[in-house]
Amino acid sequence: GDSVTQMEGPVTLSEEAFLTINCTYTATGYPSLFWYVQYPGEGLQLLLKATKADDKGSNKGFEATYRKETTSFHLEKGSVQVSDSAVYFCALKESAGGTSYGKLTFGQGTILTVHP
Amino acid sequence: ETGVTQTPRHLVMGMTNKKSLKCEQHLGHNAMYWYKQSAKKPLELMFVYNFKEQTENNSVPSRFSPECPNSSHLFLHLHTLQPEDSALYLCASSQEGRTQYFGPGTRLTVL
């Protein structure tokens, strides 16, 4: 079945540092890929997405590129802020025509803490 | 994302209680989902409703009973829960199988 693997956390950085959170996946067909963010005490918010190979999703300074050859969707940000402290989830949705309508498969989440 | 609301935000219940969680989406979507988020575990999909019809039940125990009276409302009825059911319960909605948008969740504690 489909699966998503994220790098182990927690990740602790100083403000303005470069961020990478690795995400790799296993899926049949051509899934869509997502990054969601969960701030303390809140639900998940969609951060960015990519629907086909070589697509780059971007939002709020975060970027991720859909790499089919390495089955990866790593999240990056050039300069993190304290307000970026949250839990980040990588997820995939199987391609249209799959048996599970709209089903998202999530990674385990990576806790990011940014210090001033 | 304020398009999906959930009530209550926090709930404490005993194992013999009956309670319900409510989710409402204001995005005009036709699919709704219940997820369970436990500590140190990936998010688990519980139920999927598409056009008010349940299309997926991920082997969820019968003490969890979903109800979808229309495409904007989704309930999760709880009965005779166990302490290990304590978790954050998240509702999401989407237009057909496209991008899912989540509510803030209900933090459930079972004593």
Side-chain angles (χ1 to χ4, degrees), chain B residues 7-8 11 13 18-22 67 75-78:
Chain B
T7 54
L11 178 63
M13 58 186 291
K18 289 185 181 180
K19 297 287 185 183
S20 295
L21 310 185
K22 178 182 177 182
E67 178 189 2
F75 295 89
L76 187 63
H77 304 298
L78 313 173

Side-chain angles (χ1 to χ4, degrees), chain B residues 24-79:
Chain B
E24 184 173 0
Q25 60 94 3
H26 311 275
L27 300 170
H29 292 163
N30 55 20
M32 297 187 78
Y33 310 77
W34 278 118
Y35 287 86
K36 176 182 179 182
Q37 185 179 26
S38 305
K40 302 186 187 302
K41 292 177 69 175
L43 273 81
E44 302 171 70
L45 178 66
M46 299 175 72
F47 301 104
V48 180
Y49 277 83
N50 176 21
F51 292 100
K52 302 185 297 178
E53 299 295 322
Q54 187 179 128
T55 57
E56 185 144 351
N57 176 339
N58 249 16
S59 303
V60 180
S62 59
R63 58 185 183 270
F64 295 91
S65 174
E67 178 189 2
C68 189
N70 56 62
S71 58
S72 298
H73 294 87
L74 183 65
F75 295 89
L76 187 63
H77 304 298
L78 313 173
H79 175 51

Side-chain angles (χ1 to χ4, degrees), chain A residues 1 10 12 23 29 48 53 60 64 70 78-80 98:
Chain A
T12 303
C23 172
L48 53 84
K60 299 181 181 179
T70 54
S79 176
V80 293

Side-chain angles (χ1 to χ4, degrees), chain A:
Chain A
D2 296 346
S3 67
V4 176
T5 302
Q6 289 181 233
M7 66 185 287
E8 291 282 337
V11 174
T12 303
L13 295 173
S14 298
E15 207 164 26
E16 299 184 3
F18 185 86
L19 168 71
T20 299
I21 301 178
N22 289 340
C23 172
T24 57
Y25 67 90
T26 302
T28 55
Y30 303 93
S32 296
L33 302 174
F34 304 82
W35 277 100
Y36 282 86
V37 59
Q38 186 176 32
Y39 298 102
E42 299 185 14
L44 274 69
Q45 298 178 24
L46 178 65
L47 181 60
L48 53 84
K49 66 179 182 180
T51 57
K52 61 183 187 295
D54 300 324
D55 267 2
K56 177 186 283 188
S58 61
N59 186 26
K60 299 181 181 179
F62 291 90
E63 293 183 339
T65 301
Y66 188 162
R67 301 285 188 199
K68 187 165 177 60
E69 64 276 13
T70 54
T71 62
S72 64
F73 193 55
H74 304 322
L75 182 68
E76 296 181 336
K77 186 174 185 181
S79 176
V80 293
Q81 305 300 312
V82 172
S83 58
D84 294 326
S85 298
V87 183
Y88 292 81
F89 293 92
C90 185
L92 70 81
K93 181 168 70 68
E94 64 179 46
S95 52
T99 58
S100 294
Y101 181 87
K103 178 181 177 181
L104 279 174
T105 299
F106 285 89
Q108 71 271 33
T110 301
I111 299 172
L112 171 66
T113 302
V114 180
H115 293 297

